[in-house]
């Protein structure tokens, strides 16, 4: 079972990697403004979902963020602070509506040269959902999947008690959990300022970029957690709602009946949504 799970993870990584030249995402990015690229079903499905989440969140989640995120280098060992002129020059390339999908051909075309996909805000969620599918296929009773902040609680514990998972304190991520959740099978994904960041001239910069500015989202949140039956949904929405900020995130959660838990910069912990069981339906 373990071999099958890890093989699937490696397969997904090969499709979505930004560092492997032959990945579907790299091939799409190289062909931006030139031609459509046929991709594997995995890639087409996730990109299609990513575009839908972009529309659903008014662009707060944006799979076309790649051309700006590469300036910051958060996926490298040495992130850098780009010049504002560099960011401004690339902002016009962030229109997700220029991601052209051909369902019949299973092809993806980035309409403008210089555009670049980055699916870091959704691919791990897809991977977690795929592992859950394999666990179900293998008749596994229960398991916890942890893909670097994406937690998927699968099935049941041997004693039928609820799963327990914690939310980190963004100001002390190596310390004790600031909040403990008891939940049935579901996915729990947190986006926060502590995940990937660097400091320059006394200012800390985190990796969650606001597509409107091309800079780290400068809102009123330390972290935002989404609880959903779909890890891919939780992954995309945790990013989008963090970018939106507290009030818009709570409004979105109420309208879509999404369960979220946010921690603002004053230390307040706020819960919202009607998905108290964790067995919610997808918003898409």
């Amino acid at each position: 079972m373990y071999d099958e799970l890890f093989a699937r993870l490696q397969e997904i990584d090969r499709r979505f990697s930004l560092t492997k030249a032959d990945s579907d995402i790299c091939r799409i990015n190289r062909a931006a403004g030139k031609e459509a690229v046929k991709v594997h079903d995995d890639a087409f499905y996730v990109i299609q979902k990513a575009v839908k989440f972009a529309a659903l969140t008014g662009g707060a989640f944006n799979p076309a963020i790649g051309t700006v995120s590469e300036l910051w280098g958060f996926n490298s060992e040495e992130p850098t602070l780009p010049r504002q002129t560099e960011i401004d020059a690339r902002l016009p390339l962030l229109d997700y509506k220029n991601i052209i999908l051909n369902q019949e051909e299973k092809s993806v075309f980035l309409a403008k040269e210089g555009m670049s996909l980055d699916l870091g805000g959704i691919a791990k969620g897809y991977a977690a959902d795929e592992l859950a599918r394999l666990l179900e296929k293998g008749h596994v009773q229960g398991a916890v999947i942890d893909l670097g902040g994406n937690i998927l609680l699968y099935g049941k514990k041997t004693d039928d008690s609820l799963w327990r998972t914690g939310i980190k304190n963004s100001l002390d991520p190596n310390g004790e959990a600031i909040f403990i959740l008891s939940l049935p099978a579901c996915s729990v994904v947190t986006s926060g300022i502590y995940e990937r960041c660097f400091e320059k001239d006394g200012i800390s910069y985190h990796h969650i970029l606001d597509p409107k500015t091309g800079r780290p989202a400068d809102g009123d949140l330390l972290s935002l957690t989404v609880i959903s039956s779909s890890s891919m949904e939780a992954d995309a929405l945790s990013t989008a709602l963090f970018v939106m900020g507290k009030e818009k995130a709570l409004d979105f959660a109420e309208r879509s009946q999404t369960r979220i838990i946010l921690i603002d910069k004053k230390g307040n912990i706020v819960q919202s949504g009607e998905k108290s069981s964790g067995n919610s339906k997808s918003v898409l």
Side-chain angles (χ1 to χ4, degrees), residues 252-267:
F252 180 96
E254 181 178 355
R255 287 186 287 106
S256 62
Q257 295 187 331
T258 303
R259 184 177 179 186
I260 69 172
I261 300 169
L262 58 83
I263 303 174
D264 66 22
K265 289 183 177 178
K266 295 181 180 179

Side-chain angles (χ1 to χ4, degrees), residues 135 139-144 153-158 163:
L135 292 172
H139 304 290
V140 174
Q141 177 181 323
V144 176
L153 310 171
Y154 172 82
K156 294 183 178 180
K157 296 170 69 174
T158 54
W163 297 101

Side-chain angles (χ1 to χ4, degrees), residues 45-63 96 121-122 129 226 228 230-238 240 244 252 258 282-284:
Y45 174 75
V46 175
I47 294 169
Q48 189 176 52
K49 284 287 190 180
V51 171
K52 290 182 178 179
F53 279 118
L56 181 70
T57 61
F61 175 83
N62 190 336
Y96 67 87
I122 194 171
D129 287 337
V226 176
S228 173
S230 162
S231 190
M232 184 163 60
E233 172 179 292
D235 200 4
L237 290 185
S238 69
M244 288 181 187
F252 180 96
T258 303
S282 170
V283 298
L284 286 180

Side-chain angles (χ1 to χ4, degrees), residues 122-135:
I122 194 171
K124 279 197 297 185
Y126 175 67
D129 287 337
E130 280 294 287
L131 295 189
R133 181 182 63 81
L134 292 178
L135 292 172

Side-chain angles (χ1 to χ4, degrees), residues 192-204:
I193 63 171
Y194 58 86
E195 292 176 3
R196 280 179 284 162
C197 58
F198 69 95
E199 190 170 303
K200 178 74 172 178
D201 298 330
I203 301 175
S204 181

